């Protein structure tokens, strides 16, 4: 039996997480929400996290789908009550929070996990394979993840730094560069609509080893979601819809001056794939997961520090 309790019932949980759980075999679902309009007869509903902790069996896995600023306290309470946790990205805002949770989980023999669904896609596996094969021939890496607007009536509409697009969207490219390199340098070079947290667009440059890095994310006129490898021989390999979690037809496009080749990659529902494999992944790769989580947090802290000190004369 797969038992999940979702904490926080926003659009993401309603439209992506609950349907993914329902597609698993032999499931029981509970939710923690103050929403009055949620009525599904086969789902247990609790008004508070304390009610859920007191009523649910210890084999329930809690899925924390609340604003990032709330993740630490919720995870701490759940782990101290001997529940395992899956936590939406970004998992925590500060490295100190991560270290505290890591120690609690170790002491209680429990686990926690940051939910980056794109890691479970075929296009992600193809990228990792090609990147590793061509690493000595790569000149630069372009990553772009931009959307036309943020969803309305969510925590992202709150104009404070903990709800900024650095955390909500920037965590995706940051997680990828940490997946492929232990050493990286990143620096914000421009921000459009600086100070308006729900409309900002970021440009970041840097290096991973000797590979130039160009990252764009945030709010733009059109939806764009890709990673592109630029090779020294002028070939480029573009992976389209890279950070996309729902079932989709994705593309790997290879270009040079004389030709263009498109290969279709079919990815299923990656939220479902993540939930299927998460227990195995955690037990097999917990140490590596923890290393990547800490790297991600430290890089996001660096960007937030740069953001705080940013001005119109930034290089």
């Amino acid at each position: 039996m797969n038992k999940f309790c979702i904490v926080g019932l926003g659009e993401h949980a309603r439209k992506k997480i609950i349907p993914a759980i329902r597609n698993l075999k032999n499931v029981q679902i509970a939710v923690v929400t103050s929403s009055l309009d949620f009525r599904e007869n086969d789902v247990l509903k609790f008004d508070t996290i304390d009610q859920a902790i007191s009523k649910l069996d210890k084999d329930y896995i809690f899925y924390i789908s609340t604003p990032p600023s709330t993740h630490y306290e919720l995870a701490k309470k759940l782990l101290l009550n001997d529940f395992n946790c899956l936590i939406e990205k970004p998992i925590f805002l500060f490295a100190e929070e991560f270290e505290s949770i890591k120690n609690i989980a170790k002491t209680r023999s429990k686990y926690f996990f940051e939910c980056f669904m794109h890691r479970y896609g075929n296009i992600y596996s193809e990228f990792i394979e090609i990147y590793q094969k061509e690493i000595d021939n790569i000149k630069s890496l372009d990553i772009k993840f931009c959307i036309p607007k943020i969803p309305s009536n969510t925590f992202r509409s709150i104009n404070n730094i903990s709800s900024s697009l650095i955390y909500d969207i920037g965590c995706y490219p940051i997680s990828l560069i940490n997946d492929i390199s232990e050493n990286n340098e990143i620096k914000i070079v421009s921000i459009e609509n600086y100070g308006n947290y729900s409309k900002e667009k970021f440009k970041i440059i840097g290096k991973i080893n000797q590979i130039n890095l160009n990252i764009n994310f945030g709010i733009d006129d059109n939806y764009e979601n890709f990673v592109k490898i630029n090779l020294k021989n002028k070939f480029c390999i573009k992976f389209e819809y890279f950070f996309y979690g729902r079932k989709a037809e994705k593309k790997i496009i290879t270009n040079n001056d004389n030709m263009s080749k498109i290969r279709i990659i079919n990815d299923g529902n990656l939220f479902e794939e993540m939930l299927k494999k998460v227990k195995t992944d955690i037990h097999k790769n917990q140490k590596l997961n923890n290393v990547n989580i800490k790297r991600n947090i430290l890089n996001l802290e660096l960007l937030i520090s740069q953001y705080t000190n940013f001005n119109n004369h930034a290089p």
Side-chain angles (χ1 to χ4, degrees):
M1 176 71 71
N2 293 296
K3 299 179 180 180
F4 292 92
C5 180
I6 302 166
V7 184
L9 206 61
E11 288 296 298
H12 179 75
R14 289 174 186 254
K15 293 184 176 181
K16 297 175 183 177
I17 305 308
I18 289 180
I21 293 174
R22 287 194 180 282
N23 285 337
L24 303 177
K25 294 180 180 178
N26 200 19
V27 298
Q28 288 184 359
I29 305 174
V31 298
V32 177
T33 179
S34 58
S35 175
L36 299 176
D37 65 349
F38 180 79
R39 295 181 182 87
E40 295 191 19
N41 293 332
D42 60 340
V43 176
L44 295 171
K45 179 178 178 294
F46 301 98
D47 294 328
T48 68
I49 190 72
D50 291 324
Q51 289 177 359
I53 287 171
S54 67
K55 296 292 185 182
L56 294 178
D57 297 332
K58 298 300 183 185
D59 57 350
Y60 267 85
I61 299 171
F62 277 75
Y63 192 112
I64 299 175
S65 184
T66 55
S69 60
T70 67
H71 289 178
Y72 171 69
E73 292 297 338
L74 286 169
K76 180 179 177 181
K77 177 172 282 193
L78 289 166
L79 290 168
L80 287 172
N81 281 278
D82 297 319
F83 288 98
N84 294 312
C85 300
L86 309 182
I87 307 172
E88 270 296 332
K89 54 75 193 169
I91 190 167
F92 304 120
L93 301 184
F94 306 106
E96 293 85 354
E97 295 177 339
F98 162 73
E99 293 293 345
S100 172
I101 292 299
K102 184 180 73 170
N103 292 334
I104 293 170
K106 183 177 181 180
T107 300
R108 310 295 290 199
S109 297
K110 294 297 167 184
Y111 64 74
F112 62 98
F113 185 80
E114 186 170 26
C115 295
F116 279 113
M117 76 294 167
H118 67 273
R119 289 175 173 155
Y120 296 86
N122 294 320
I123 200 163
Y124 175 86
S125 299
E126 292 266 1
F127 167 80
I128 295 296
E129 181 179 345
I130 293 172
Y131 177 85
Q132 291 174 342
K133 179 181 177 182
E134 299 288 352
I135 189 166
D136 293 332
N137 302 314
I138 298 174
K139 179 180 179 181
S140 63
L141 190 66
D142 298 335
I143 306 174
K144 188 169 186 179
F145 191 3
C146 290
I147 59 176
K149 64 179 181 179
I150 63 169
S152 59
N153 302 316
T154 70
F155 74 89
R156 301 166 185 86
S157 303
I158 302 170
N159 208 46
N160 64 48
I161 197 68
S162 66
S163 302
S164 82
L165 296 173
I166 291 176
Y167 286 122
D168 190 44
I169 301 179
C171 65
Y172 284 102
I174 294 303
S175 74
L176 179 61
I177 65 173
N178 284 320
D179 285 349
I180 60 178
S181 173
E182 296 181 6
N183 302 301
N184 59 70
E185 303 171 16
I186 52 175
K187 184 175 184 179
I188 298 173
V189 292
S190 70
I191 307 173
E192 295 180 18
N193 298 311
Y194 175 72
N196 188 337
Y197 295 125
S198 63
K199 293 185 178 181
E200 290 176 328
K201 179 183 175 183
F202 295 82
K203 181 177 181 180
I204 293 171
I205 62 170
K207 283 184 178 292
I208 45 177
N209 301 318
Q210 297 303 310
I211 298 170
N212 291 320
L213 186 65
N214 302 289
I215 301 174
N216 288 272
F217 68 86
I219 305 302
D220 206 350
D221 293 336
N222 300 304
Y223 180 88
E224 290 189 88
N225 179 346
F226 67 81
V227 177
K228 186 169 70 170
I229 295 173
N230 301 299
L231 299 174
K232 295 173 183 177
N233 63 4
K234 297 185 179 180
F235 272 83
C236 64
I237 308 167
K238 185 178 182 182
F239 303 78
E240 282 200 340
Y241 305 112
F242 189 85
F243 302 108
Y244 190 77
R246 297 187 186 185
K247 184 177 180 179
E249 185 179 272
K250 302 176 182 179
K251 298 176 182 178
I252 299 178
I253 305 169
T254 303
N255 282 309
N256 69 1
D257 293 336
N258 302 314
M259 57 84 72
S260 179
K261 180 181 177 182
I262 299 175
R263 183 155 60 95
I264 301 300
I265 302 293
N266 290 303
D267 263 338
N269 186 316
L270 302 188
F271 299 99
E272 183 180 340
E273 291 300 313
M274 176 181 69
L275 293 169
K276 283 180 184 176
K277 298 175 182 176
V278 68
K279 291 181 184 178
T280 302
D281 188 28
I282 287 169
H283 291 302
K284 183 179 178 181
N285 301 311
Q286 182 67 76
K287 185 176 181 180
L288 179 59
N289 288 333
N290 285 346
V291 169
N292 284 345
I293 288 171
K294 187 169 183 178
R295 281 194 209 133
N296 291 343
I297 294 171
L298 290 173
N299 275 144
L300 290 172
E301 284 189 13
L302 174 63
L303 291 182
I304 290 295
S305 175
Q306 292 178 8
Y307 177 90
T308 303
N309 296 319
F310 192 85
N311 59 63
N312 291 330
H313 301 292

